[in-house]
Amino acid sequence: MQVEQSLKVVEIVALGMDLPVVVDAETPLREVLQRMRDENSGCALVTREDRLAGIFTERDLVARVLGNEHALEQPVADWMTQDPDRVTQSDPIRKAIRVMRRGGFRHVPIVDKEGGVVGCVRHKDIINYLAEQFPEQVLNLPPDPDQISLEREGG
C-alpha cells in the first residue's frame, strides 16, 4: 500500500498513541501544568461531565498565561481553547492531518460518539507511523527531492 492510500484508509487508532493528560475544567492551572510536565505532554484535554470541553496546550501557556501573575490559581477552563476540533478513533489518519493543517495544530483530541475523551493524536504520532510503515519512502528523501548539488558538501 502506498503512503497516500494508507492515510486514506488506516484509522487513527492504528497510530498507537500515548494516553493524554485529562483534567477537569475546574482544575487549577498550576496542577495542570505540573501534570503536563510530569507526563512530558504538550497538552491537556479538559473535560466537563466526562465530555471534551477544551484543550490546553503549550501554545496557550505562551500566548495567554505568561505575564498574568494570578493565572496559576485559576481554573484551566479560563485559559483553555474551548470546543476544539476533534476526530474519532475510526476516522482515517488523513482527517487528523487535515484538521492539523487547517488549524495549525500539533494536537487533536480523539473522542467517542458521546464526546468522551479517548485520546489525542499528535503530529509526532503521524510522523512515527509514516517512518515505521514506509521507511524507504520517508527516511531516504532529501529535503527537496528535485535538488541537485552542484558542489561537494564538506570541507
Side-chain angles (χ1 to χ4, degrees):
M1 185 180 320
Q2 295 297 320
V3 174
E4 296 84 7
Q5 183 65 20
S6 174
L7 296 176
K8 289 178 186 177
V9 299
V10 175
E11 295 178 349
I12 289 171
V13 71
L15 294 175
M17 300 151 288
D18 296 332
L19 294 174
V21 172
V22 180
V23 297
D24 183 78
E26 296 307 312
T27 305
L29 186 57
R30 176 184 309 280
E31 185 178 325
V32 174
L33 292 173
Q34 186 62 52
R35 286 207 41 214
M36 288 172 62
R37 181 177 177 190
D38 292 347
E39 297 181 35
N40 196 28
S41 177
C43 75
L45 302 182
V46 184
T47 61
R48 278 196 184 96
E49 299 175 6
D50 296 323
R51 298 185 66 175
L52 181 67
I55 186 170
F56 182 82
T57 67
E58 296 165 325
R59 187 177 294 167
D60 294 319
L61 174 65
V62 171
R64 299 178 184 172
V65 176
L66 291 181
N68 185 313
E69 58 191 73
H70 304 292
L72 295 178
E73 305 313 319
Q74 296 174 348
V76 68
D78 293 351
W79 303 100
M80 70 182 184
T81 299
Q82 295 186 33
D83 194 30
D85 290 338
R86 60 200 76 196
V87 293
T88 67
Q89 291 182 56
S90 60
D91 285 331
I93 296 171
R94 181 171 81 170
K95 182 171 182 183
I97 293 171
R98 282 185 180 158
V99 170
M100 289 176 173
R101 184 173 179 203
R102 182 179 59 231
F105 308 134
R106 295 185 307 154
H107 305 88
V108 177
I110 305 169
V111 297
D112 58 24
K113 292 178 184 176
E114 291 78 37
V117 172
V118 175
C120 185
V121 60
R122 304 169 303 170
H123 65 294
K124 295 181 208 179
D125 300 321
I126 295 169
I127 292 168
N128 288 338
Y129 168 81
L130 292 171
E132 288 173 8
Q133 298 298 314
F134 306 97
E136 294 84 21
Q137 290 123 315
V138 175
L139 299 178
N140 292 330
L141 292 177
D144 178 0
D146 296 325
Q147 179 180 0
I148 298 173
S149 179
L150 301 177
E151 297 177 11
R152 200 172 104 188
E153 289 188 36

